Amino acid sequence: MAEITASMVKELREKTDAPMMECKKALSEAAGDLAKAEEILRVKLGNKASKAATRVTAEGIVGIYISADAKLGAMVEVNCETDFVAKNDEFLALVQNVAELVATKNPADVEALSALDINGQSVEETRKALIGKIGENMSIRRFVRVDAKGAVASYIHGGSKIGVLIDLVGGDEALAKDLAMHIAASKPKSLDASGVPVELLEVERRIAIEKAREAGKPEAMLEKIADGTVQKFLKDVTLLDQVFVKAEDGKQTVSQLLKAKGASVAGFTLFIVGEGIEKKVTDFAAEVAAQAAAAAQK
């Protein structure tokens, strides 16, 4: 049996983008014949999309598209299993193409987006083909499209893990960029108090009352204490009431900044990759040990 070297595995992986272990298995099956191993992988890769479809996709990136006149913008979150794949050029190209489709075609939902065309193939067909080639599951999680009242600006942070779109009326490009950076850093939940869900406020109120009660505060004061807590919470989570991160005096709010600049924010969207997705925590050492044990039993 031909010896399968690390350089052979590396060469096959570079040609196919297939997972390392799959490359090694294919080379073993092909007795070291690189061309035959590539054929074996091409046959096997067709089934990889269905095999990978149940795996958690909590990594990925945010992709953004803005039209030349800044009147139209789109942002999409596309997930994958590992951060390594999130840096793959073909994965990055898929995300960018999808963001542009959202802006230009205005699909109603992810299903409608998946049916749109990319270079003669549907988005869904392109996604499945890439899953087969790379060997990891990936999914389009969500998107937003902005038809601006003013001008759309964006900010990407942390290797495209955090993305912001903002619709700024008035002001200038520098202000829009600063505000988008502020949103990425401060993570407001809404523009103002009207956008904060009532249920969220009720949770804060209940917690404040229980804390005050445990601290021995008089019952007659509990509601007033809760009111104060809720108001502070609103200032922390609403964009207009937050202290601007670049405020020189450390006090100027975003609302005050906008007033000084003669501008207003029509809306914004913040995406954080994997937010709300339960990630599987893997003990790498234990996983390697388990694989070695399984190999020994064979």
Side-chain angles (χ1 to χ4, degrees), residues 14 24 29 31 48 65 78-79 102 111 118 121 127 132 144 150 155 165 172 195 209 218 231 233 235 239 246 256 276:
E14 286 174 351
K24 189 172 182 180
E29 188 175 337
K48 282 199 174 294
Y65 172 87
V78 182
N79 300 123
V102 170
E111 184 178 358
I118 297 179
Q121 277 192 319
R127 182 187 74 87
V144 64
Y155 179 67
L165 277 187
D172 56 22
I209 288 175
Q231 290 306 310
F233 173 74
K235 287 182 179 180
L239 175 62
K246 294 176 70 175
Q256 290 168 340

Side-chain angles (χ1 to χ4, degrees), residues 6 48 82 119 179 280:
K48 282 199 174 294
T82 65
N119 300 324
L179 288 171
K280 180 181 178 181

Side-chain angles (χ1 to χ4, degrees), residues 238-267:
T238 55
L239 175 62
L240 297 182
D241 285 328
Q242 288 180 336
V243 174
F244 180 48
V245 291
K246 294 176 70 175
E248 293 181 1
D249 61 359
K251 297 179 180 178
Q252 184 186 41
T253 65
V254 171
S255 178
Q256 290 168 340
L257 171 67
L258 289 167
K259 186 176 181 181
K261 298 288 187 179
S264 63
V265 175

Side-chain angles (χ1 to χ4, degrees), residues 11-295:
E11 185 177 355
L12 183 58
R13 177 167 170 73
E14 286 174 351
K15 290 185 70 176
T16 63
D17 269 350
M20 182 180 68
M21 291 306 297
E22 291 295 332
C23 291
K24 189 172 182 180
K25 288 177 184 176
L27 283 164
S28 296
E29 188 175 337
D33 186 322
L34 190 66
K36 187 175 180 181
E38 187 176 351
E39 289 182 15
I40 291 169
L41 281 175
R42 286 181 175 175
V43 172
K44 290 182 176 180
L45 288 177
N47 295 324
K48 282 199 174 294
S50 59
K51 289 180 180 178
T54 59
R55 299 203 292 262
V56 175
T57 54
E59 297 296 338
I61 64 167
V62 172
I64 289 176
Y65 172 87
I66 297 178
S67 62
D69 62 3
K71 288 295 182 181
L72 189 63
M75 182 164 62
V76 61
E77 178 186 346
V78 182
N79 300 123
C80 54
E81 294 178 55
T82 65
D83 191 51
F84 178 77
V85 168
K87 297 172 184 175
N88 176 279
D89 287 342
E90 289 182 86
F91 179 77
L92 295 174
L94 171 66
V95 175
Q96 198 55 48
N97 284 332
V98 168
E100 185 172 352
L101 281 175
V102 170
T104 57
K105 300 298 183 181
N106 194 20
D109 50 30
V110 171
E111 184 178 358
L113 171 60
S114 298
L116 296 176
D117 179 85
I118 297 179
N119 300 324
Q121 277 192 319
S122 72
V123 171
E124 179 63 10
E125 289 169 337
T126 304
R127 182 187 74 87
K128 285 184 175 180
L130 194 54
I131 290 173
K133 184 174 183 179
I134 294 177
E136 270 199 23
N137 191 20
M138 57 191 70
S139 60
I140 300 169
R141 184 186 185 195
R142 53 181 172 170
F143 65 81
V144 64
R145 182 179 184 272
V146 178
D147 215 338
K149 294 180 180 178
V152 184
S154 66
Y155 179 67
I156 289 284
H157 181 74
S160 299
K161 300 300 183 185
I162 298 175
V164 177
L165 277 187
I166 184 170
D167 181 1
L168 183 68
V169 180
D172 56 22
E173 188 175 336
L175 176 62
K177 191 75 172 179
D178 278 347
L179 288 171
M181 289 174 66
H182 170 96
I183 292 166
S186 300
K187 300 176 179 58
K189 295 184 181 297
S190 68
L191 182 62
D192 55 32
S194 67
V196 180
V198 174
E199 299 81 10
L200 196 57
L201 297 180
E202 286 302 316
V203 169
E204 293 300 315
R205 177 175 290 278
R206 287 197 300 270
I207 292 172
I209 288 175
E210 288 306 313
K211 281 185 176 180
R213 186 172 281 141
E214 287 181 5
K217 301 295 183 182
E219 286 291 324
M221 291 181 59
L222 297 184
E223 287 297 331
K224 188 174 181 180
I225 291 171
D227 287 342
T229 300
V230 168
Q231 290 306 310
K232 183 180 184 302
F233 173 74
L234 286 171
K235 287 182 179 180
D236 289 341
V237 302
T238 55
L239 175 62
L240 297 182
D241 285 328
Q242 288 180 336
V243 174
F244 180 48
V245 291
K246 294 176 70 175
E248 293 181 1
D249 61 359
K251 297 179 180 178
Q252 184 186 41
T253 65
V254 171
S255 178
Q256 290 168 340
L257 171 67
L258 289 167
K259 186 176 181 181
K261 298 288 187 179
S264 63
V265 175
F268 74 89
T269 302
L270 167 68
F271 280 176
I272 301 173
V273 169
E275 185 177 32
I277 299 176
E278 184 177 351
K279 298 185 181 183
K280 180 181 178 181
V281 179
T282 302
D283 184 333
F284 184 70
E287 184 176 309
V288 171
Q291 289 178 353

